[in-house]
Amino acid sequence: MPSRKRKREPEAQVEEQSAGARVRSLWSGTITFGLVSIPVDLLTAVRPRQTAMKLVDTEGHALGRQYHCSKEGKKLNYDDLVRGYETDDGKMVVITDKEFESVAPEMSADIELRSFVPIEQVPALYFQKPYFLAPAGKSAKAYVLLGETMQRTGRVAIGSFVMRGHEYLVAIVPDNGVLRLDTLRYADEIRSPESIGLPKHSKPAAAKVTQFSKEIEALTHKEIDVAELQDQEAKELQSLVESKQKEHDDVIHPKGAEAAEDTEGGEGAKVIDLMEVLRKSLSKSAVVRTAEASAPIDLAERRAQRDARSTATKKKSSTAKAKRKAPRKRARRS
């Protein structure tokens, strides 16, 4: 059976890079417009939030995905799966791999620029995913020249390119000497305010506008507080994980791992606790232990310990949260 191409976001196969590590290029190609040709590499500008977790069973085993027929309830294998295009009237039209490949965009290594427009002409609602473009080969001078020219003229470039069998509509934006590529949503993906039932625009009373202006002025600052952009949920989750790991609460250790023999000393190779390795990557002060140094905790014992500590943990969490929020509140009043 031919390989089945699936529409995927460009960053779907990119692993999160550790701090200080070089980000791997997702795609390499050329910016082209007129007689200009600038080789570039595409790099992801964002990384996944640290709150992402995996679904496992109570013993920590990873779960697999299975497909079932909604009508007959039978389990389906991968070879039983085909593409289906749902029409506006709810009917399903099956598309074969050969048919899908016949309408797929032609593979190309070019970012074809169609036009240069003022940045305010592109509504913020159209911007989807940000990436960085880096000069490749000997294109640094042309790269800088394009960015500087676009910055001075206040223009962004609109174009398209093909990656992993899917065509993307993009905008190239100059950003302090760096060219940023943003994938754009297509026009038919954008809902209008009328289509979702938002009220029509009406002119408010002048007194109300004045009142709101005073409220906004009271909270106006010259610069944005970077602390406002930090992911507090991720920090809370990381603290919770480190606390539970330190207290051996719900920490599942690998069992049945075969230790390879040491050819020199004759001793079995040490099995590294993966959770400790992860903790070390997040904290320089963390200490890595071998898995055999930590004995697994009985499930019933673990639950009893968790229930006994629940009150203390909630009190500690609320106290820590109050301490974190206090400086931010003082900053708003200043």
Side-chain angles (χ1 to χ4, degrees), residues 109-158:
D110 294 335
I111 302 177
E112 299 180 1
L113 303 186
R114 305 171 186 173
S115 61
F116 291 84
V117 299
I119 188 170
E120 60 268 16
Q121 291 295 316
V122 185
L125 195 58
Y126 279 79
F127 287 89
Q128 189 174 30
K129 300 287 184 180
Y131 300 87
F132 288 130
L133 290 173
K138 299 180 179 181
S139 66
K141 290 184 178 180
Y143 176 96
V144 173
L145 178 60
L146 177 60
E148 180 65 21
T149 305
M150 292 173 64
Q151 191 86 45
R152 289 187 181 184
T153 58
R155 298 289 193 272
V156 298
I158 305 298

Side-chain angles (χ1 to χ4, degrees), residues 255-261 268-271:
K255 297 180 181 180
E258 296 181 358
E261 294 185 358
K270 294 182 178 180
V271 181

Side-chain angles (χ1 to χ4, degrees), residues 214-234:
K214 292 180 179 180
E215 296 291 342
I216 293 174
E217 184 64 27
L219 296 175
T220 299
H221 299 274
K222 293 182 179 180
E223 297 180 357
I224 189 171
D225 186 1
V226 179
E228 297 286 347
L229 305 179
Q230 294 179 355
D231 191 343
Q232 297 298 330
E233 181 183 355

Side-chain angles (χ1 to χ4, degrees), residues 9-19 21-26 42-50 127-133 175 178-183 229 231:
E9 291 298 328
E11 71 276 13
Q13 296 179 345
V14 180
E15 297 179 355
E16 183 179 0
Q17 303 293 324
S18 60
R22 179 175 175 81
V23 179
R24 187 172 52 192
S25 173
L26 297 175
L42 184 69
L43 310 171
T44 181
V46 296
R47 55 184 177 181
R49 294 181 65 203
Q50 297 181 6
F127 287 89
Q128 189 174 30
K129 300 287 184 180
Y131 300 87
F132 288 130
L133 290 173
D175 188 355
V178 176
L179 292 179
R180 193 181 74 240
L181 180 145
D182 288 90
T183 57
L229 305 179
D231 191 343

Side-chain angles (χ1 to χ4, degrees), residues 4-10 12-13 83 100 128 163-168 184-186 188-189:
R4 183 176 289 105
K5 296 180 180 179
R6 301 181 184 274
K7 175 180 175 181
R8 307 183 68 174
E9 291 298 328
Q13 296 179 345
R83 295 182 181 85
F100 182 77
Q128 189 174 30
M163 180 168 61
R164 296 173 183 160
H166 181 66
E167 184 175 32
Y168 293 90
L184 300 176
R185 296 181 175 89
Y186 289 96
D188 58 357
E189 296 181 85

